[in-house]
Amino acid sequence: MNKGLLVVVSAPSGCGKDTVINALRESDFKFEKTISDTTRVMREGETNGVDYTFIDETTFKNRIENGYYLEYTVYNGNFYGTPKSEVEKHLDKGECVLMKIEVEGAGNVRKLMPEAVSVFLVPPSMEELEKRLRGRGTETEESFKKRFETAKQELARAPEYDYIVVNDEISKCVEKIRNIIETEGLRYCAMKNFVDDLLR
Ligand code: ADP
Ligand code: 5GP
């Protein structure tokens, strides 16, 4: 069986990662999304064990010590980490795994797993990014300013990614990501086991 494809998706905060990934999920495209641990407070509408596993800092630090995470980072003062098991259990079954993580973590995953495909979502304009970030209604003025500044720094990391997808219209954006995943799944490294079986 071919090993599954690991897809890393990043975007500046508020660009629309959650919206696009939810739309991808609603299309008939089959993929598994990793569920990260975080120490940040749960937002309205989020569910523990679905959006994130919400844990306290002591538990998070213990898990770091125990080598539980494939990667982790501190973002806006909160810990976020991807449990190794979240990735391995699906890749071993040949399933496509999607990680929605920020730029530092994406860089770490690329070093650990160079075969991963990385996609960077960007807004159609900075004005639109501001509108989306404010429109979500989850930010105070102070946290908005902080996130918008972080977003600009994150955008400067675009050259590190394999693909850049503009999140203008959600459906177009979803189609582009599907095309990327389908094409990447045909690379020799992804199809190696299949070819080896043919030659056996
Ligand atoms: P992120 O997960 O990157 O922080 P969200 O998915 O929460 O961003 O989106 C931020 C806001 O932008 C939300 O209010 C969402 O409805 C809106 N949004 C996302 N994508 C689009 C889009 N393509 N067109 C218009 N609004 C969008
Ligand atoms: P939010 O607080 O808006 O849900 O997430 C903040 C940032 O942390 C987003 O860019 C999100 O993609 C990223 N993030 C979520 N989970 C992880 C993770 O496990 N590892 C890393 N490195 N970043 C994560």
Side-chain angles (χ1 to χ4, degrees):
M1 188 201 284
N2 288 321
K3 214 163 181 235
L5 185 70
L6 179 61
V7 184
V8 176
V9 178
S10 305
S13 181
C15 181
K17 284 185 294 297
D18 282 336
T19 308
V20 169
I21 291 169
N22 288 341
L24 189 63
R25 163 93 58 224
E26 279 161 21
S27 71
D28 58 354
F29 195 71
K30 178 116 183 52
F31 67 94
E32 302 297 328
K33 191 187 148 295
T34 54
I35 299 169
S36 297
D37 284 359
T38 185
T39 60
R40 87 148 156 73
V41 290
M42 208 190 296
R43 291 188 189 129
E44 214 185 300
E46 286 183 327
T47 308
N48 190 20
V50 175
D51 299 288
Y52 286 103
T53 303
F54 294 91
I55 59 175
D56 62 33
E57 207 168 304
T58 310
T59 310
F60 200 106
K61 285 180 175 165
N62 283 336
R63 289 183 176 183
I64 295 174
E65 290 281 300
N66 294 332
Y68 180 77
Y69 295 114
L70 173 67
E71 62 75 39
Y72 69 91
T73 197
V74 178
Y75 185 88
N76 278 341
N78 299 305
F79 284 85
Y80 295 85
T82 315
K84 282 181 187 160
S85 57
E86 278 292 307
V87 174
E88 285 161 4
K89 70 181 176 194
H90 297 303
L91 288 186
D92 289 347
K93 282 194 261 172
E95 292 164 345
C96 175
V97 179
L98 197 142
M99 291 171 75
K100 186 203 74 168
I101 60 175
E102 52 62 70
V103 291
E104 286 303 324
N108 292 333
V109 172
R110 260 193 303 270
K111 274 184 222 140
L112 287 167
M113 305 174 88
E115 69 282 10
V117 179
S118 58
V119 177
F120 197 53
L121 295 182
V122 297
S125 67
M126 293 313 279
E127 290 72 27
E128 179 62 21
L129 178 61
E130 176 170 351
K131 228 164 78 187
R132 287 182 194 171
L133 209 42
R134 287 188 187 280
R136 195 167 59 177
T138 53
E139 311 297 323
T140 61
E141 184 61 24
E142 194 195 337
S143 76
F144 161 74
K145 280 191 181 141
K146 209 164 137 195
R147 279 196 179 246
F148 197 61
E149 207 36 60
T150 309
K152 284 191 205 159
Q153 290 163 12
E154 288 170 331
L155 269 173
R157 306 277 299 262
E160 296 171 28
Y161 287 78
D162 297 318
Y163 295 95
I164 306 296
V165 175
V166 181
N167 178 16
D168 40 17
E169 252 178 67
I170 295 166
S171 60
K172 279 191 196 157
C173 194
V174 165
E175 202 185 321
K176 284 179 195 160
I177 295 174
R178 287 182 60 142
N179 289 342
I180 290 168
I181 296 175
E182 275 160 5
T183 309
E184 285 287 333
L186 300 179
R187 286 173 77 112
Y188 173 70
C189 59
M191 293 297 290
K192 182 180 179 309
N193 291 355
F194 185 84
V195 175
D196 287 352
D197 281 349
L198 289 179
L199 291 170
R200 213 169 266 157

